[in-house]
Amino acid sequence: MTPSSSPIPDLAALLSLAHDLADAAREVIRPYFRQPIDVDLKVDHTPVTIADREAERVMRSMLADRVPEHGVVGEEFGADRAEAEWVWVLDPIDGTQAFLSGQPTFGTLIALLHNGTPILGLIDQAITRERWVGAQGEGATLNGAAIQTRLCTDLSTATVFATSPAMFQEADAACFERLSERANLVRYGLDCYAYGLLALGFVDVVAECQMELHDYAALVPIVEAAGGVISDWRGEPLKMGSDGRVLALGDTALQMEALRLLDGEQAVE
Amino acid sequence: MTPSSSPIPDLAALLSLAHDLADAAREVIRPYFRQPIDVDLKVDHTPVTIADREAERVMRSMLADRVPEHGVVGEEFGADRAEAEWVWVLDPIDGTQAFLSGQPTFGTLIALLHNGTPILGLIDQAITRERWVGAQGEGATLNGAAIQTRLCTDLSTATVFATSPAMFQEADAACFERLSERANLVRYGLDCYAYGLLALGFVDVVAECQMELHDYAALVPIVEAAGGVISDWRGEPLKMGSDGRVLALGDTALQMEALRLLDGEQAVE
């Protein structure tokens, strides 16, 4: 690849490829939205549809054509060359339950990892045609317009999101309750879209757990490039192999308090 | 008014007026979405913004011009002639918290009551430009296309929605838990939009409480016209003066089981 002034070699080409993947996934997904389609349950009892599978297939096929030396990790079809220097992480439909309920807040997640660290992320909402992009060393955008997180230095004024209260089991539930009971407002139900709203400056905190690499990898560069901070519940960077606990904050000033309330050390198995 | 073949005198004119109100509210609301705006807290500690107030004002002004003999009950500016034969019930932004979080799932609710019973209802999502309409004796529509609820004869396959687990206090929380633990999936966070998805056939049950007349009046004709059933937790029709507990089902066959699980008698103060 041609060296450039960006910390990422040939970032423009990689961003262009990410957009092409998202365009292709969007065209696959849109015709299935709010149509009666079959739902299969995976071994983890989460649902999957032909829309998830076809969207991932078309993205993997494009990657095999254009960057055959890169690795790919996808929610539906697993890992190829996951040890490669450059690895694409794909979640064709993050929020399949929202998709199946006709709720236009699911998202296609596309991340590029360099040596295990997410350096480029994209969230695409196929129905509302909203696309968030963030890359290390670059700003974050929504449909091409620069965005940034908002200030929030006091948790008692914060809006906190999580996809569902049911994702917090046992010790994690107590941790989340300590955080959420200090917040101004707790809302549920948005999957990746909540991180997009955080990057856009309308949500202050997202705390979740039971997240897989394909759920969180794309969120990291977007939240960071928008001025926020995202980590596990111990404040460690999210990367391949993280434990699935995620804390995103629009204002870095809240991070210490939020981590203390989540009591990350206690939450670790 | 001119008599017509519909059970409602001059339904076409009343529907046209409802659309005009929704058009006007939409134009007020859209420019405020995802903009920094001031938030005031009402006496019940719920938020209100200039968008709520301006949208209700423009609708009330139109009603005063076009049907001065009709009553109006609005969330933000109270009741005028609430004892009239025909009363319009307005919620300019149902889901102000969603609106403030940048989430395009809030809705403008417009209902027309005849002697206290909702006979025409409209949900308008100003950002996605989705509009649900239902009227007694007529079908339900989304953006003009006929819609209907889906079959669901087994609660263990049902998708259940509620705006927030925090709306269920004390005995109501136990009632909702009995219902939700039998369901296939419980999701939160959509306000009136969940009833739209139920009418559209992608959600099976919505159970909520602490609802005011302006929250539920518009939902009744939409859910019923789409083939579903909506009542309080004792199975009684929703009307002016209901206790704020709402149960909507896409398939009437589930109603008895859902009412039994909600244990309406116990839930009553």
Side-chain angles (χ1 to χ4, degrees), chain A residues 33-36 41 95 97-105 128 130 132 142 150 159 161 163-165 184-191 193 197 200 202-203, chain B residues 33-36 41 95 97-105 128 130 132 142 150 159 161 163-165 184-191 193 197 200 202-203:
Chain A
F33 184 62
R34 294 186 181 172
Q35 297 299 319
L41 287 185
Q97 293 176 332
F99 172 74
L100 288 171
S101 303
Q103 181 182 345
T105 56
T128 60
E130 293 170 291
W132 284 265
L142 170 57
R150 70 180 172 194
T159 296
F161 266 81
T163 294
S164 168
N184 175 52
L185 176 64
V186 180
R187 286 183 62 87
Y188 297 99
L190 289 195
D191 306 287
Y193 201 86
L197 296 180
L200 196 56
F202 288 90
V203 166
Chain B
F33 184 62
R34 295 186 179 171
Q35 298 299 320
L41 287 184
Q97 293 175 333
F99 172 74
L100 288 170
S101 303
Q103 181 181 344
T105 56
T128 60
E130 293 170 290
W132 284 265
L142 170 58
R150 70 179 171 194
T159 297
F161 266 80
T163 294
S164 168
N184 174 53
L185 177 65
V186 180
R187 287 184 61 88
Y188 298 100
L190 289 194
D191 305 288
Y193 201 86
L197 295 180
L200 196 55
F202 288 89
V203 165

Side-chain angles (χ1 to χ4, degrees), chain B residues 35-118:
Chain B
Q35 298 299 320
I37 57 175
D38 290 339
V39 179
D40 297 323
L41 287 184
K42 296 189 281 192
V43 288
D44 64 357
H45 300 288
T46 60
V48 62
T49 72
I50 188 173
D52 301 76
R53 291 187 179 120
E54 282 190 10
E56 183 168 325
R57 248 186 223 118
V58 72
M59 290 191 284
R60 294 180 87 110
S61 165
M62 292 169 73
L63 290 168
D65 276 354
R66 291 172 55 176
V67 283
E69 71 282 14
H70 288 192
V72 183
V73 177
E75 177 172 17
E76 310 307 342
F77 297 108
D80 291 329
R81 298 174 300 288
E83 304 307 312
E85 178 181 0
W86 300 93
V87 175
W88 294 84
V89 179
L90 309 174
D91 188 346
I93 298 181
D94 177 69
T96 301
Q97 293 175 333
F99 172 74
L100 288 170
S101 303
Q103 181 181 344
T105 56
F106 60 90
T108 299
L109 300 181
I110 298 168
L112 178 60
L113 273 53
H114 185 232
N115 294 326
T117 296

